């Protein structure tokens, strides 16, 4: 039985791993004539500064603008690769829950293509991998991308 996907989510964060996932997601979405959602989650924990202070609204606005510019560039690359149905999204919150449950429920995602973790072994123990969490808890298929598009 062949699986056909109609709504694919690729979370990106600027890492090499997410770039690999993005390239494969574009290819899979093109092959399936599917909609591609490109998501960047701004972790709200990063907005708490040292000594309990908060990052200014201007800094948060700049982070959001930078994320939007980054996502616009990815969407343009997807369109140049032949994919017409692309949307970009910026969400605030915990990347684990946003990617694994919140976004897929809101957008009826049937495949999440996510890069393998960029964390080392110690960081995975202390923080936990977003990829591992998504793989365990997502309500849809999850493809963990580890290789380049032509591999």
């Amino acid at each position: 039985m062949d699986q056909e996907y109609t709504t694919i989510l690729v979370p990106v964060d600027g890492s090499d791993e997410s770039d690999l996932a993005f390239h494969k997601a574009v290819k899979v979405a093109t092959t399936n004539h599917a909609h591609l959602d490109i998501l960047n989650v701004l972790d709200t924990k990063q907005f708490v500064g040292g000594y309990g202070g908060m990052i200014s609204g201007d800094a948060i606005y700049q982070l959001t603008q930078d994320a939007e510019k980054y996502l616009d560039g990815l969407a343009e690359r997807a369109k140049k690769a032949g994919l017409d149905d692309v949307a970009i999204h910026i969400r605030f919150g915990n990347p684990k829950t946003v990617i694994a449950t919140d976004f897929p429920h809101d957008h009826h995602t049937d495949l999440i293509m996510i890069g393998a973790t960029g964390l080392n072994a110690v960081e995975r123990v202390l923080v936990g991998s977003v990829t591992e969490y998504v793989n365990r808890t997502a309500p849809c298929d999850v493809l963990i991308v580890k290789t380049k598009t032509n591999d």
Side-chain angles (χ1 to χ4, degrees), residues 41 93-105 130 133-134 137:
V41 180
N94 181 333
K96 290 179 179 180
T97 56
V98 171
I99 296 167
T101 55
D102 299 346
F103 192 92
H105 282 117
V130 172
Y133 184 86
V134 170
T137 60

Side-chain angles (χ1 to χ4, degrees), residues 2 18 27 33 37 42 45 64 84 108 114 122 129 141 143 145 150:
D2 290 334
S18 74
K27 187 171 185 176
H33 306 287
D37 287 310
L42 299 176
K45 286 183 279 183
T64 305
D84 294 324
H108 309 290
I114 189 167
V122 174
S129 165
D141 289 346
L143 177 67
V145 178
N150 53 358

Side-chain angles (χ1 to χ4, degrees), residues 62-116:
Q62 187 59 53
L63 287 169
T64 305
Q65 292 298 106
D66 292 345
E68 187 172 2
K69 183 178 178 182
Y70 168 62
L71 294 175
D72 283 339
L74 291 178
E76 189 61 36
R77 287 170 45 196
K79 290 175 184 175
K80 284 182 181 177
L83 186 60
D84 294 324
D85 195 2
V86 180
I88 62 169
H89 307 272
I90 299 171
R91 291 275 181 104
F92 293 90
N94 181 333
K96 290 179 179 180
T97 56
V98 171
I99 296 167
T101 55
D102 299 346
F103 192 92
H105 282 117
D106 293 347
H107 293 270
H108 309 290
T109 302
D110 49 22
L111 174 64
I112 299 172
M113 296 184 69
I114 189 167

